[in-house]
Amino acid sequence: MYRNFLKRGIDFCLALIALILLSPVMLVTAVLVRNKLGSPVLFKQLRPGKNEKIFAMYKFRSMTDARDEEGNLLADSERLTDFGKKLRSTSLDELPELFNILKGDMSFVGPRPLLIDYLKLYDEKQKQRHQVRPGLTGLAQVNGRNATTWEERFNYDVYYANHVSLWLDIKILVKTVKTVLARDGINNENAATMVAFEGNKLDDEE
């Protein structure tokens, strides 16, 4: 009952309350992003949601548009400023996703929405992560965030998709607050954010 009915209602009510209470914080953040990084203030990107339905996810911009001589965007590590790092470490860049929750694209708790390009790379087990709405936070985010491997993240995502409950959501939300305050696992040791998923590694050797 919680999974199919109550969870969505709770998400809507909490998102509406959060947007009202956090509107001053969002306004100040928007002004700072505009002054530090320029326009647009919001970063919009298409992501797959529940049942792989595509939606536009919103975040506060945390990178510049710096490009090389050929017009290609520079690596994340070169475009991520100190201000952008602070936005990410405090998770303030995620606040516009409250609108996604209000619309029903996302939930407060669920697997993080990843890139559309990854859809073709998932195996059958990994695809189970799309049985539920993607979340503002999730089981993988409170167990290492970007510092975990892709295999670990997908295992957490699939476990959550198959064990959704009110108690699990509460535990994840409480642990999210602790993780954000501690600023744990913001970056992967091999990249400024998270290394790209390149598919499942298969051993072709006999």
Side-chain angles (χ1 to χ4, degrees), residues 70-131:
E70 297 179 355
N72 301 311
L73 285 173
L74 297 178
D76 289 357
S77 59
E78 298 180 72
R79 296 188 294 121
L80 186 60
T81 64
D82 289 338
F83 172 72
K85 291 177 182 178
K86 290 178 181 177
L87 277 183
R88 292 186 175 218
S89 67
T90 56
S91 294
L92 287 174
D93 63 317
E94 310 279 0
L95 289 181
E97 290 171 43
L98 290 170
F99 288 107
N100 289 120
I101 297 175
L102 201 66
K103 290 170 55 184
D105 298 326
M106 295 176 61
S107 173
F108 272 98
V109 180
R112 285 294 296 166
L114 301 177
L115 299 177
I116 294 176
D117 291 345
Y118 294 171
L119 287 175
K120 62 180 180 292
L121 302 177
Y122 297 147
D123 60 28
E124 290 305 311
K125 179 182 178 181
Q126 292 164 348
K127 288 180 180 180
Q128 294 178 34
R129 71 190 307 279
H130 291 292
Q131 293 176 355

Short mmCIF file of all heavy atoms in Angstrom, two decimals, residues 70-131:
data_model
loop_
_atom_site.label_atom_id
_atom_site.label_comp_id
_atom_site.label_asym_id
_atom_site.label_seq_id
_atom_site.Cartn_x
_atom_site.Cartn_y
_atom_site.Cartn_z
N GLU A 70 38.48 24.19 -29.93
CA GLU A 70 37.59 23.60 -30.94
C GLU A 70 36.12 23.69 -30.55
O GLU A 70 35.25 23.18 -31.25
CB GLU A 70 37.97 22.14 -31.18
CG GLU A 70 39.39 21.98 -31.74
CD GLU A 70 39.75 20.51 -31.94
OE1 GLU A 70 38.93 19.65 -31.56
OE2 GLU A 70 40.84 20.25 -32.48
N GLY A 71 35.85 24.32 -29.41
CA GLY A 71 34.48 24.51 -28.98
C GLY A 71 33.92 23.38 -28.13
O GLY A 71 32.73 23.38 -27.81
N ASN A 72 34.76 22.42 -27.75
CA ASN A 72 34.30 21.31 -26.93
C ASN A 72 34.39 21.67 -25.44
O ASN A 72 35.33 22.33 -25.01
CB ASN A 72 35.16 20.06 -27.19
CG ASN A 72 35.11 19.63 -28.64
OD1 ASN A 72 34.03 19.51 -29.23
ND2 ASN A 72 36.27 19.40 -29.24
N LEU A 73 33.41 21.22 -24.68
CA LEU A 73 33.43 21.47 -23.25
C LEU A 73 34.65 20.83 -22.61
O LEU A 73 35.03 19.72 -22.96
CB LEU A 73 32.16 20.91 -22.59
CG LEU A 73 30.86 21.70 -22.79
CD1 LEU A 73 29.69 20.91 -22.23
CD2 LEU A 73 30.94 23.07 -22.13
N LEU A 74 35.26 21.55 -21.68
CA LEU A 74 36.41 21.01 -20.97
C LEU A 74 35.95 19.94 -19.98
O LEU A 74 34.76 19.79 -19.72
CB LEU A 74 37.13 22.13 -20.22
CG LEU A 74 37.74 23.24 -21.08
CD1 LEU A 74 38.37 24.30 -20.19
CD2 LEU A 74 38.77 22.67 -22.04
N ALA A 75 36.88 19.20 -19.43
CA ALA A 75 36.56 18.14 -18.47
C ALA A 75 35.88 18.74 -17.24
O ALA A 75 36.07 19.91 -16.91
CB ALA A 75 37.83 17.41 -18.06
N ASP A 76 35.08 17.91 -16.56
CA ASP A 76 34.37 18.37 -15.36
C ASP A 76 35.31 19.01 -14.35
O ASP A 76 34.98 20.02 -13.73
CB ASP A 76 33.66 17.18 -14.69
CG ASP A 76 32.45 16.70 -15.48
OD1 ASP A 76 32.13 17.34 -16.51
OD2 ASP A 76 31.83 15.71 -15.07
N SER A 77 36.49 18.41 -14.17
CA SER A 77 37.44 18.92 -13.17
C SER A 77 37.90 20.34 -13.48
O SER A 77 38.24 21.10 -12.58
CB SER A 77 38.66 18.00 -13.09
OG SER A 77 39.31 17.90 -14.35
N GLU A 78 37.87 20.71 -14.76
CA GLU A 78 38.29 22.06 -15.16
C GLU A 78 37.14 23.06 -15.13
O GLU A 78 37.36 24.26 -15.03
CB GLU A 78 38.91 22.02 -16.56
CG GLU A 78 40.15 21.16 -16.67
CD GLU A 78 40.72 21.14 -18.07
OE1 GLU A 78 41.28 22.18 -18.49
OE2 GLU A 78 40.59 20.11 -18.76
N ARG A 79 35.92 22.57 -15.21
CA ARG A 79 34.75 23.47 -15.21
C ARG A 79 34.11 23.60 -13.84
O ARG A 79 33.31 24.51 -13.62
CB ARG A 79 33.71 22.95 -16.22
CG ARG A 79 34.20 22.98 -17.66
CD ARG A 79 33.09 22.67 -18.63
NE ARG A 79 32.59 21.31 -18.52
CZ ARG A 79 31.33 20.98 -18.25
NH1 ARG A 79 30.44 21.93 -18.03
NH2 ARG A 79 30.96 19.73 -18.17
N LEU A 80 34.47 22.71 -12.91
CA LEU A 80 33.89 22.75 -11.57
C LEU A 80 34.69 23.73 -10.70
O LEU A 80 35.82 23.46 -10.32
CB LEU A 80 33.91 21.35 -10.96
CG LEU A 80 33.20 21.18 -9.61
CD1 LEU A 80 31.73 21.56 -9.71
CD2 LEU A 80 33.36 19.74 -9.12
N THR A 81 34.10 24.87 -10.40
CA THR A 81 34.77 25.90 -9.63
C THR A 81 34.67 25.61 -8.13
O THR A 81 33.95 24.71 -7.70
CB THR A 81 34.14 27.27 -9.90
OG1 THR A 81 32.77 27.25 -9.43
CG2 THR A 81 34.14 27.59 -11.39
N ASP A 82 35.39 26.39 -7.32
CA ASP A 82 35.30 26.24 -5.87
C ASP A 82 33.88 26.48 -5.38
O ASP A 82 33.38 25.79 -4.48
CB ASP A 82 36.26 27.21 -5.16
CG ASP A 82 37.72 26.81 -5.34
OD1 ASP A 82 37.98 25.63 -5.63
OD2 ASP A 82 38.58 27.69 -5.19
N PHE A 83 33.21 27.45 -5.99
CA PHE A 83 31.82 27.73 -5.64
C PHE A 83 30.94 26.53 -5.99
O PHE A 83 30.07 26.13 -5.22
CB PHE A 83 31.32 28.98 -6.37
CG PHE A 83 29.85 29.23 -6.21
CD1 PHE A 83 29.34 29.68 -5.00
CD2 PHE A 83 28.99 29.02 -7.27
CE1 PHE A 83 27.98 29.91 -4.84
CE2 PHE A 83 27.62 29.26 -7.13
CZ PHE A 83 27.12 29.70 -5.92
N GLY A 84 31.17 25.95 -7.17
CA GLY A 84 30.41 24.79 -7.59
C GLY A 84 30.62 23.60 -6.66
O GLY A 84 29.69 22.85 -6.34
N LYS A 85 31.85 23.44 -6.19
CA LYS A 85 32.16 22.35 -5.25
C LYS A 85 31.39 22.54 -3.94
O LYS A 85 30.91 21.57 -3.35
CB LYS A 85 33.66 22.31 -4.98
CG LYS A 85 34.50 21.85 -6.18
CD LYS A 85 35.99 21.91 -5.84
CE LYS A 85 36.83 21.49 -7.05
NZ LYS A 85 38.27 21.59 -6.78
N LYS A 86 31.28 23.79 -3.49
CA LYS A 86 30.54 24.06 -2.26
C LYS A 86 29.06 23.78 -2.45
O LYS A 86 28.40 23.25 -1.55
CB LYS A 86 30.75 25.52 -1.84
CG LYS A 86 32.16 25.81 -1.35
CD LYS A 86 32.33 27.27 -0.99
CE LYS A 86 33.76 27.55 -0.53
NZ LYS A 86 33.97 28.99 -0.23
N LEU A 87 28.53 24.13 -3.62
CA LEU A 87 27.13 23.82 -3.91
C LEU A 87 26.87 22.33 -3.82
O LEU A 87 25.88 21.88 -3.23
CB LEU A 87 26.74 24.31 -5.31
CG LEU A 87 26.36 25.77 -5.51
CD1 LEU A 87 25.95 26.00 -6.95
CD2 LEU A 87 25.22 26.16 -4.57
N ARG A 88 27.77 21.54 -4.41
CA ARG A 88 27.61 20.09 -4.42
C ARG A 88 27.82 19.48 -3.05
O ARG A 88 27.12 18.56 -2.66
CB ARG A 88 28.57 19.47 -5.43
CG ARG A 88 28.22 19.83 -6.86
CD ARG A 88 29.10 19.09 -7.85
NE ARG A 88 28.67 19.36 -9.22
CZ ARG A 88 28.67 18.46 -10.19
NH1 ARG A 88 29.08 17.23 -9.95
NH2 ARG A 88 28.27 18.77 -11.40
N SER A 89 28.81 19.97 -2.32
CA SER A 89 29.11 19.39 -1.02
C SER A 89 27.97 19.61 -0.03
O SER A 89 27.75 18.81 0.88
CB SER A 89 30.41 19.97 -0.46
OG SER A 89 30.27 21.34 -0.15
N THR A 90 27.23 20.72 -0.19
CA THR A 90 26.10 21.01 0.69
C THR A 90 24.78 20.51 0.10
O THR A 90 23.73 20.61 0.75
CB THR A 90 25.97 22.53 0.91
OG1 THR A 90 25.87 23.19 -0.36
CG2 THR A 90 27.20 23.07 1.64
N SER A 91 24.83 20.00 -1.14
CA SER A 91 23.66 19.50 -1.86
C SER A 91 22.65 20.60 -2.19
O SER A 91 21.50 20.31 -2.54
CB SER A 91 22.96 18.37 -1.08
OG SER A 91 23.78 17.23 -1.00
N LEU A 92 23.08 21.86 -2.11
CA LEU A 92 22.18 22.95 -2.48
C LEU A 92 21.84 22.93 -3.97
O LEU A 92 20.77 23.41 -4.37
CB LEU A 92 22.82 24.30 -2.12
CG LEU A 92 22.89 24.65 -0.63
CD1 LEU A 92 23.68 25.93 -0.42
CD2 LEU A 92 21.49 24.78 -0.05
N ASP A 93 22.73 22.37 -4.77
CA ASP A 93 22.47 22.29 -6.22
C ASP A 93 21.28 21.39 -6.53
O ASP A 93 20.69 21.47 -7.60
CB ASP A 93 23.71 21.80 -6.96
CG ASP A 93 24.11 20.39 -6.57
OD1 ASP A 93 24.09 20.08 -5.36
OD2 ASP A 93 24.46 19.60 -7.46
N GLU A 94 20.89 20.52 -5.58
CA GLU A 94 19.81 19.57 -5.80
C GLU A 94 18.42 20.16 -5.51
O GLU A 94 17.40 19.54 -5.87
CB GLU A 94 20.01 18.33 -4.91
CG GLU A 94 21.38 17.70 -4.98
CD GLU A 94 21.56 16.78 -6.18
OE1 GLU A 94 20.60 16.66 -6.97
OE2 GLU A 94 22.65 16.22 -6.33
N LEU A 95 18.34 21.31 -4.88
CA LEU A 95 17.06 21.84 -4.43
C LEU A 95 16.00 21.99 -5.54
O LEU A 95 14.82 21.72 -5.29
CB LEU A 95 17.26 23.18 -3.72
CG LEU A 95 17.94 23.11 -2.34
CD1 LEU A 95 18.07 24.51 -1.74
CD2 LEU A 95 17.16 22.19 -1.41
N PRO A 96 16.36 22.40 -6.77
CA PRO A 96 15.33 22.50 -7.81
C PRO A 96 14.65 21.18 -8.14
O PRO A 96 13.56 21.17 -8.74
CB PRO A 96 16.11 23.04 -9.02
CG PRO A 96 17.22 23.83 -8.41
CD PRO A 96 17.62 23.02 -7.22
N GLU A 97 15.24 20.07 -7.73
CA GLU A 97 14.61 18.77 -7.97
C GLU A 97 13.33 18.62 -7.16
O GLU A 97 12.53 17.71 -7.41
CB GLU A 97 15.58 17.64 -7.65
CG GLU A 97 16.72 17.55 -8.66
CD GLU A 97 17.81 16.58 -8.22
OE1 GLU A 97 17.48 15.49 -7.72
OE2 GLU A 97 19.00 16.93 -8.38
N LEU A 98 13.10 19.51 -6.19
CA LEU A 98 11.84 19.51 -5.46
C LEU A 98 10.67 19.73 -6.42
O LEU A 98 9.57 19.19 -6.21
CB LEU A 98 11.84 20.59 -4.37
CG LEU A 98 12.77 20.34 -3.17
CD1 LEU A 98 12.86 21.59 -2.31
CD2 LEU A 98 12.26 19.15 -2.35
N PHE A 99 10.90 20.51 -7.48
CA PHE A 99 9.85 20.71 -8.49
C PHE A 99 9.58 19.40 -9.24
O PHE A 99 8.43 19.10 -9.59
CB PHE A 99 10.26 21.80 -9.47
CG PHE A 99 10.24 23.19 -8.89
CD1 PHE A 99 11.42 23.85 -8.59
CD2 PHE A 99 9.04 23.83 -8.63
CE1 PHE A 99 11.40 25.12 -8.05
CE2 PHE A 99 9.01 25.11 -8.09
CZ PHE A 99 10.19 25.75 -7.80
N ASN A 100 10.63 18.62 -9.49
CA ASN A 100 10.45 17.32 -10.12
C ASN A 100 9.64 16.38 -9.24
O ASN A 100 8.83 15.58 -9.74
CB ASN A 100 11.80 16.67 -10.43
CG ASN A 100 12.55 17.36 -11.56
OD1 ASN A 100 13.65 17.86 -11.39
ND2 ASN A 100 11.94 17.38 -12.74
N ILE A 101 9.87 16.46 -7.93
CA ILE A 101 9.10 15.62 -7.00
C ILE A 101 7.65 16.06 -7.00
O ILE A 101 6.73 15.23 -7.02
CB ILE A 101 9.70 15.71 -5.58
CG1 ILE A 101 11.12 15.16 -5.56
CG2 ILE A 101 8.82 14.95 -4.58
CD1 ILE A 101 11.83 15.31 -4.23
N LEU A 102 7.42 17.36 -6.99
CA LEU A 102 6.06 17.90 -6.99
C LEU A 102 5.31 17.44 -8.24
O LEU A 102 4.13 17.10 -8.18
CB LEU A 102 6.11 19.42 -6.92
CG LEU A 102 4.85 20.14 -6.43
CD1 LEU A 102 4.57 19.82 -4.98
CD2 LEU A 102 5.02 21.65 -6.59
N LYS A 103 6.00 17.42 -9.38
CA LYS A 103 5.39 17.02 -10.65
C LYS A 103 5.15 15.52 -10.74
O LYS A 103 4.36 15.07 -11.55
CB LYS A 103 6.29 17.44 -11.81
CG LYS A 103 6.34 18.93 -12.05
CD LYS A 103 7.45 19.27 -13.06
CE LYS A 103 7.28 18.49 -14.34
NZ LYS A 103 8.41 18.75 -15.29
N GLY A 104 5.86 14.74 -9.93
CA GLY A 104 5.70 13.30 -9.99
C GLY A 104 6.78 12.60 -10.81
O GLY A 104 6.71 11.38 -11.00
N ASP A 105 7.76 13.36 -11.29
CA ASP A 105 8.88 12.76 -12.03
C ASP A 105 9.78 11.98 -11.10
O ASP A 105 10.38 10.97 -11.49
CB ASP A 105 9.73 13.85 -12.71
CG ASP A 105 8.95 14.65 -13.73
OD1 ASP A 105 8.07 14.06 -14.39
OD2 ASP A 105 9.21 15.86 -13.86
N MET A 106 9.91 12.49 -9.85
CA MET A 106 10.85 11.92 -8.90
C MET A 106 10.18 11.72 -7.55
O MET A 106 9.05 12.14 -7.33
CB MET A 106 12.08 12.83 -8.74
CG MET A 106 12.93 12.97 -9.98
SD MET A 106 14.31 14.15 -9.76
CE MET A 106 15.23 13.38 -8.40
N SER A 107 10.92 11.09 -6.65
CA SER A 107 10.50 10.88 -5.27
C SER A 107 11.60 11.43 -4.37
O SER A 107 12.70 11.71 -4.83
CB SER A 107 10.28 9.39 -5.01
OG SER A 107 10.03 9.13 -3.64
N PHE A 108 11.32 11.58 -3.09
CA PHE A 108 12.39 11.98 -2.18
C PHE A 108 13.44 10.88 -2.08
O PHE A 108 14.63 11.15 -2.01
CB PHE A 108 11.82 12.30 -0.79
CG PHE A 108 11.39 13.72 -0.63
CD1 PHE A 108 10.07 14.08 -0.78
CD2 PHE A 108 12.31 14.72 -0.34
CE1 PHE A 108 9.67 15.40 -0.65
CE2 PHE A 108 11.94 16.04 -0.21
CZ PHE A 108 10.60 16.38 -0.37
N VAL A 109 12.98 9.63 -2.08
CA VAL A 109 13.89 8.50 -1.95
C VAL A 109 13.72 7.54 -3.13
O VAL A 109 12.60 7.17 -3.49
CB VAL A 109 13.65 7.73 -0.64
CG1 VAL A 109 14.62 6.56 -0.52
CG2 VAL A 109 13.78 8.66 0.56
N GLY A 110 14.84 7.17 -3.73
CA GLY A 110 14.83 6.24 -4.85
C GLY A 110 16.19 6.25 -5.52
O GLY A 110 17.06 7.05 -5.16
N PRO A 111 16.42 5.41 -6.50
CA PRO A 111 17.70 5.42 -7.22
C PRO A 111 17.89 6.76 -7.92
O PRO A 111 16.94 7.33 -8.46
CB PRO A 111 17.52 4.29 -8.25
CG PRO A 111 16.45 3.41 -7.67
CD PRO A 111 15.52 4.33 -6.96
N ARG A 112 19.09 7.30 -7.90
CA ARG A 112 19.34 8.58 -8.55
C ARG A 112 19.12 8.44 -10.06
O ARG A 112 19.50 7.43 -10.67
CB ARG A 112 20.79 9.03 -8.29
CG ARG A 112 21.00 9.56 -6.89
CD ARG A 112 20.23 10.84 -6.64
NE ARG A 112 20.70 11.93 -7.49
CZ ARG A 112 20.03 13.07 -7.68
NH1 ARG A 112 18.85 13.24 -7.11
NH2 ARG A 112 20.52 14.02 -8.44
N PRO A 113 18.51 9.46 -10.69
CA PRO A 113 18.31 9.41 -12.14
C PRO A 113 19.63 9.60 -12.87
O PRO A 113 20.32 10.60 -12.65
CB PRO A 113 17.35 10.58 -12.40
CG PRO A 113 17.60 11.53 -11.26
CD PRO A 113 17.95 10.67 -10.08
N LEU A 114 19.98 8.65 -13.72
CA LEU A 114 21.26 8.69 -14.42
C LEU A 114 21.07 9.13 -15.86
O LEU A 114 19.98 9.54 -16.26
CB LEU A 114 21.92 7.31 -14.34
CG LEU A 114 22.18 6.79 -12.91
CD1 LEU A 114 22.76 5.38 -12.95
CD2 LEU A 114 23.11 7.72 -12.16
N LEU A 115 22.12 9.07 -16.65
CA LEU A 115 22.06 9.53 -18.03
C LEU A 115 21.27 8.57 -18.92
O LEU A 115 21.28 7.35 -18.72
CB LEU A 115 23.48 9.67 -18.59
CG LEU A 115 24.40 10.67 -17.87
CD1 LEU A 115 25.79 10.64 -18.50
CD2 LEU A 115 23.82 12.07 -17.92
N ILE A 116 20.61 9.13 -19.93
CA ILE A 116 19.86 8.32 -20.89
C ILE A 116 20.78 7.35 -21.61
O ILE A 116 20.40 6.21 -21.91
CB ILE A 116 19.14 9.23 -21.91
CG1 ILE A 116 18.06 10.07 -21.20
CG2 ILE A 116 18.51 8.41 -23.03
CD1 ILE A 116 17.36 11.06 -22.11
N ASP A 117 22.02 7.78 -21.88
CA ASP A 117 22.97 6.93 -22.60
C ASP A 117 23.24 5.61 -21.89
O ASP A 117 23.67 4.64 -22.50
CB ASP A 117 24.29 7.67 -22.80
CG ASP A 117 24.17 8.82 -23.78
OD1 ASP A 117 23.15 8.88 -24.51
OD2 ASP A 117 25.07 9.67 -23.82
N TYR A 118 23.02 5.59 -20.58
CA TYR A 118 23.30 4.37 -19.81
C TYR A 118 22.25 3.28 -20.00
O TYR A 118 22.51 2.11 -19.70
CB TYR A 118 23.41 4.69 -18.32
CG TYR A 118 24.57 5.56 -17.92
CD1 TYR A 118 24.67 6.07 -16.63
CD2 TYR A 118 25.59 5.88 -18.82
CE1 TYR A 118 25.74 6.86 -16.24
CE2 TYR A 118 26.65 6.68 -18.44
CZ TYR A 118 26.72 7.18 -17.15
OH TYR A 118 27.78 7.97 -16.77
N LEU A 119 21.06 3.66 -20.47
CA LEU A 119 19.96 2.70 -20.58
C LEU A 119 20.35 1.47 -21.39
O LEU A 119 20.01 0.35 -21.03
CB LEU A 119 18.73 3.37 -21.22
CG LEU A 119 17.96 4.37 -20.34
CD1 LEU A 119 16.86 5.03 -21.15
CD2 LEU A 119 17.37 3.67 -19.12
N LYS A 120 21.06 1.69 -22.49
CA LYS A 120 21.43 0.57 -23.36
C LYS A 120 22.55 -0.29 -22.79
O LYS A 120 22.86 -1.36 -23.33
CB LYS A 120 21.84 1.10 -24.74
CG LYS A 120 23.04 2.02 -24.75
CD LYS A 120 23.35 2.50 -26.15
CE LYS A 120 24.56 3.44 -26.18
NZ LYS A 120 24.27 4.72 -25.52
N LEU A 121 23.14 0.16 -21.68
CA LEU A 121 24.27 -0.56 -21.09
C LEU A 121 23.87 -1.46 -19.92
O LEU A 121 24.66 -2.27 -19.47
CB LEU A 121 25.33 0.44 -20.61
CG LEU A 121 25.90 1.39 -21.67
CD1 LEU A 121 26.88 2.37 -21.03
CD2 LEU A 121 26.59 0.62 -22.78
N TYR A 122 22.64 -1.30 -19.42
CA TYR A 122 22.22 -2.07 -18.26
C TYR A 122 21.96 -3.53 -18.60
O TYR A 122 21.46 -3.85 -19.69
CB TYR A 122 20.92 -1.50 -17.67
CG TYR A 122 21.03 -0.09 -17.14
CD1 TYR A 122 19.95 0.78 -17.22
CD2 TYR A 122 22.19 0.38 -16.55
CE1 TYR A 122 20.02 2.08 -16.73
CE2 TYR A 122 22.28 1.67 -16.06
CZ TYR A 122 21.19 2.51 -16.16
OH TYR A 122 21.27 3.79 -15.68
N ASP A 123 22.25 -4.42 -17.64
CA ASP A 123 21.81 -5.81 -17.80
C ASP A 123 20.40 -5.90 -17.20
O ASP A 123 19.86 -4.91 -16.69
CB ASP A 123 22.79 -6.79 -17.14
CG ASP A 123 22.98 -6.56 -15.65
OD1 ASP A 123 22.04 -6.05 -14.99
OD2 ASP A 123 24.05 -6.89 -15.12
N GLU A 124 19.79 -7.08 -17.26
CA GLU A 124 18.41 -7.22 -16.84
C GLU A 124 18.21 -6.89 -15.36
O GLU A 124 17.20 -6.31 -14.97
CB GLU A 124 17.92 -8.65 -17.12
CG GLU A 124 17.76 -8.96 -18.60
CD GLU A 124 16.84 -7.96 -19.29
OE1 GLU A 124 15.73 -7.70 -18.77
OE2 GLU A 124 17.22 -7.44 -20.36
N LYS A 125 19.18 -7.26 -14.53
CA LYS A 125 19.07 -6.95 -13.11
C LYS A 125 19.14 -5.45 -12.88
O LYS A 125 18.34 -4.89 -12.12
CB LYS A 125 20.19 -7.66 -12.33
CG LYS A 125 20.14 -7.36 -10.83
CD LYS A 125 21.29 -8.04 -10.09
CE LYS A 125 21.26 -7.69 -8.61
NZ LYS A 125 22.38 -8.32 -7.86
N GLN A 126 20.07 -4.76 -13.52
CA GLN A 126 20.25 -3.33 -13.32
C GLN A 126 19.03 -2.53 -13.78
O GLN A 126 18.73 -1.48 -13.23
CB GLN A 126 21.51 -2.86 -14.04
CG GLN A 126 22.79 -3.41 -13.41
CD GLN A 126 24.00 -3.28 -14.32
OE1 GLN A 126 23.88 -2.98 -15.51
NE2 GLN A 126 25.18 -3.54 -13.77
N LYS A 127 18.32 -3.06 -14.76
CA LYS A 127 17.13 -2.37 -15.26
C LYS A 127 16.04 -2.29 -14.21
O LYS A 127 15.13 -1.45 -14.31
CB LYS A 127 16.59 -3.09 -16.50
CG LYS A 127 17.44 -2.91 -17.75
CD LYS A 127 16.83 -3.64 -18.93
CE LYS A 127 17.67 -3.48 -20.20
NZ LYS A 127 17.08 -4.20 -21.35
N GLN A 128 16.10 -3.13 -13.19
CA GLN A 128 15.09 -3.13 -12.15
C GLN A 128 15.07 -1.83 -11.37
O GLN A 128 14.08 -1.51 -10.70
CB GLN A 128 15.31 -4.31 -11.19
CG GLN A 128 15.11 -5.68 -11.83
CD GLN A 128 15.41 -6.81 -10.85
OE1 GLN A 128 15.16 -6.69 -9.65
NE2 GLN A 128 15.95 -7.90 -11.35
N ARG A 129 16.14 -1.06 -11.44
CA ARG A 129 16.20 0.23 -10.74
C ARG A 129 15.12 1.18 -11.26
O ARG A 129 14.74 2.15 -10.56
CB ARG A 129 17.59 0.85 -10.86
CG ARG A 129 17.92 1.36 -12.25
CD ARG A 129 19.38 1.74 -12.40
NE ARG A 129 19.85 2.66 -11.39
CZ ARG A 129 19.65 3.98 -11.44
NH1 ARG A 129 18.98 4.52 -12.43
NH2 ARG A 129 20.14 4.75 -10.49
N HIS A 130 14.60 0.93 -12.47
CA HIS A 130 13.58 1.80 -13.05
C HIS A 130 12.16 1.33 -12.74
O HIS A 130 11.20 1.84 -13.33
CB HIS A 130 13.79 1.90 -14.56
CG HIS A 130 15.02 2.67 -14.93
ND1 HIS A 130 15.15 4.01 -14.72
CD2 HIS A 130 16.20 2.26 -15.47
CE1 HIS A 130 16.35 4.42 -15.12
NE2 HIS A 130 17.00 3.37 -15.58
N GLN A 131 12.02 0.39 -11.81
CA GLN A 131 10.69 -0.04 -11.38
C GLN A 131 10.05 0.98 -10.44
O GLN A 131 8.86 0.92 -10.16
CB GLN A 131 10.77 -1.40 -10.68
CG GLN A 131 11.17 -2.55 -11.59
CD GLN A 131 11.33 -3.85 -10.83
OE1 GLN A 131 11.23 -3.89 -9.59
NE2 GLN A 131 11.57 -4.92 -11.55
#
